[in-house]
Amino acid sequence: MFASTVFKRGFASSAVANKKVAVLGAAGGIGQPLSLLLKLNPLVTHLSLYDIVNTPGVAADLSHINTNSKVTGHKGPAELGAAIANSDVIVIPAGVPRKPGMTRDDLFNTNAGIVKTLAEAAAQHAPKAHILVIANPVNSTVPIVAEVLKKHGVFDPKRLFGVTTLDVVRASRFVSEVKGTNPVDTKVTVVGGHSGVTIIPLLSQTGHKFTQEELEKLTHRIQYGGDEVVKAKDGTGSATLSMAQAGARFTVSLLEALSGKKNVVEPSYVFSEVAKKDGVEWFSSNVELGPEGVAKVHPLGELSAFEQKLYADAIPELKKNIAKGVEFVAKN
Ligand code: NAD
Ligand code: LMR
C-alpha cells in the first residue's frame, strides 16, 4: 500500500536517498506493527530495531519480508549506540502504556527516565537525527528530550516532534461516523497537546455544521478516544495498531519531506510560537515539513467561541506538563 502511494506521488528514484530509521521500543505493542509498516516503505533503507527485550526475533522475522531495506536488531543498553548511530529518524514508542483508571501523566514516573536515557544516546550517537516521540505523556516527554539535547548542545527545534497524529486520525473517523462521510477525505485539525483537555479539535474548520450536542459529544470523544481503547483492552494496554498506523503515517510524511516532496503538512507537537503569548512553548498544530524537518508551523486560524474556551482550558494543563518535563531533566 505504501509503495504504491509513494510511487504514485511521483518520486524520482534519485530523490529516494538512503534513510536509516531507528525504532526504540521496537518489540512492543506499537513497536512491532510500526516496524512492519516501515519495513514496507521503500523510503526506509535501513530499519534499526532497538528494545531491552526480543529485538533479535522481531528483526529476524521482519528481515524475511522481500522489500529492499536492511533490518538490524539490537537488544539492551550495550547495543543502543549501534542501533542509533547515523540514524536520520529516531522513533520512540518505548515506555509503559496506561491501564484503566490511569491518566497519561501517571506514566511520567516510569517513562520520563526511559525517554531521557534514549534522548542522551540520540544526542551522542545521532545528534542530527529527527526525533519522533510517541511515549506518553507526550506533553512532558517531548520537553524532556529537548532539555537533554540542549544539555548536549545539539537541540534543533526543527528536528524534534511529538507524535499527535492519532488524534487527527481518530477525529476523522469519529466525525465521519456522525456526518456519513468517507473518513479518508474527512480532515479535522486538532491542536494543543496529547491528553484530555489539552486535545483541542477545531471542528468549526471542517466545513461541516454541528449541533451543540454533536459538538460537545464529538469533542469529548476526540479528547478521550484513548480511554475507549484502554477500557476495551481491560488492563492489557492502550492503542497499538491505530497508533502504529498513525506513527507510520507521520514518519513516512517526514521521510517524504526530507526527500524533497513539497507541501507535506502533518499535525505535530513542536517548539512553537502559536501559544507563546500564553506562556506555552510546546504546542501541536499543523506543521509543514521540509528537507530540514519543521519548515513552517501553521497558526490556528479562526476559533469559534467554543474552541476559544477549549484553548483556555488547555493552557494551564500544558504549562504544568511542560514544566514537569523541564524540571525532571534539571533535577536528574
Ligand atoms: P508496550 O509495553 O507494548 O511496549 C513498550 C516497549 O518499550 C516494550 O517492548 C518494552 O520492552 C520497551 N521498553 C521499555 N523500556 C525500554 C527502554 N529503556 N529502552 C527501550 N525500550 C524499552 O507499550 P505500547 O503499547 O507499545 O506503548 C508504548 C508507549 O506509547 C506508551 O507510553 C503509550 O502510552 C504510548 N502511546 C502513545 C500514543 C500517542 O498518540 N503518542 C498512542 C498510543 C500509545
Ligand atoms: C492514545 O491516545 O491512544 C495514547 O495516548 C494511549 C493512551 O494512553 O490513551
Side-chain angles (χ1 to χ4, degrees):
M1 179 190 74
F2 273 126
S4 63
T5 310
V6 167
F7 291 129
K8 223 168 31 199
R9 287 172 182 174
F11 279 96
S13 58
S14 60
V16 182
N18 285 342
K19 289 281 181 271
K20 175 174 175 180
V21 178
V23 179
L24 313 183
I30 297 167
Q32 291 202 38
L34 172 61
S35 301
L36 170 62
L37 292 171
L38 294 176
K39 175 64 180 140
L40 299 179
N41 192 286
L43 290 176
V44 180
T45 48
H46 178 178
L47 183 60
S48 174
L49 307 181
Y50 174 78
D51 204 301
I52 49 173
V53 292
N54 298 340
T55 24
V58 176
D61 192 353
L62 284 177
S63 74
H64 289 189
I65 293 174
N66 62 336
T67 55
N68 224 2
S69 49
K70 173 171 92 173
V71 182
T72 54
H74 310 265
K75 190 174 87 166
E79 297 184 17
L80 178 56
I84 286 179
N86 303 317
S87 293
D88 298 285
V89 175
I90 297 172
V91 193
I92 309 184
V96 293
R98 284 197 286 165
K99 290 188 169 18
M102 291 172 81
T103 65
R104 291 180 185 80
D105 187 54
D106 292 334
L107 303 172
F108 186 95
N109 288 345
T110 308
N111 289 352
I114 293 173
V115 169
K116 179 171 168 279
T117 303
L118 298 175
E120 276 160 356
Q124 285 164 27
H125 299 284
K128 298 259 181 227
H130 299 262
I131 303 182
L132 281 49
V133 184
I134 292 174
N136 270 316
V138 167
N139 294 357
S140 305
T141 50
V142 173
I144 288 175
V145 175
E147 293 306 307
V148 169
L149 297 178
K150 282 180 201 168
K151 273 195 173 175
H152 286 78
V154 295
F155 174 59
D156 181 345
K158 293 200 292 298
R159 294 198 298 255
L160 177 56
F161 307 87
V163 182
T164 55
T165 325
L166 184 53
D167 297 318
V168 303
V169 166
R170 281 189 179 126
S172 291
R173 178 71 215 179
F174 298 166
V175 168
S176 75
E177 286 171 15
V178 171
K179 291 295 164 193
T181 53
N182 182 343
V184 174
D185 307 318
T186 307
K187 308 282 179 233
V188 186
T189 299
V190 182
V191 301
H194 179 68
S195 72
V197 295
T198 71
I199 298 172
I200 311 169
L202 302 183
L203 296 172
S204 70
Q205 297 180 6
T206 58
H208 292 289
K209 292 259 176 285
F210 299 95
T211 65
Q212 186 62 24
E213 191 189 353
E214 283 174 340
L215 208 54
E216 285 171 14
K217 279 197 174 146
L218 271 171
T219 298
H220 187 273
R221 190 166 183 216
I222 294 163
Q223 289 183 320
Y224 296 94
D227 297 44
E228 284 183 23
V229 183
V230 170
K231 193 168 167 226
K233 290 201 173 177
D234 199 16
T236 63
S238 56
T240 53
L241 302 172
S242 51
M243 183 59 232
Q245 191 276 336
R249 168 176 146 177
F250 188 81
T251 309
V252 170
S253 288
L254 177 62
L255 290 170
E256 288 177 344
L258 296 178
S259 302
K261 186 167 187 258
K262 306 268 184 246
N263 302 319
V264 181
V265 176
E266 288 286 357
S268 184
Y269 183 72
V270 293
F271 192 73
S272 165
E273 297 284 322
V274 167
K276 210 171 171 185
K277 66 177 177 12
D278 297 305
V280 170
E281 286 191 324
W282 290 95
F283 200 82
S284 183
S285 64
N286 281 329
V287 172
E288 187 177 325
L289 302 168
E292 297 185 345
V294 174
K296 185 180 171 202
V297 179
H298 286 208
L300 298 185
E302 201 175 324
L303 304 191
S304 66
F306 182 73
E307 290 156 2
Q308 285 172 26
K309 166 85 170 66
L310 296 178
Y311 176 90
D313 290 346
I315 291 295
E317 181 69 13
L318 275 169
K319 272 189 190 160
K320 207 169 60 185
N321 296 161
I322 293 165
K324 192 168 174 178
V326 172
E327 272 161 34
F328 177 81
V329 178
K331 286 188 184 151
N332 291 277

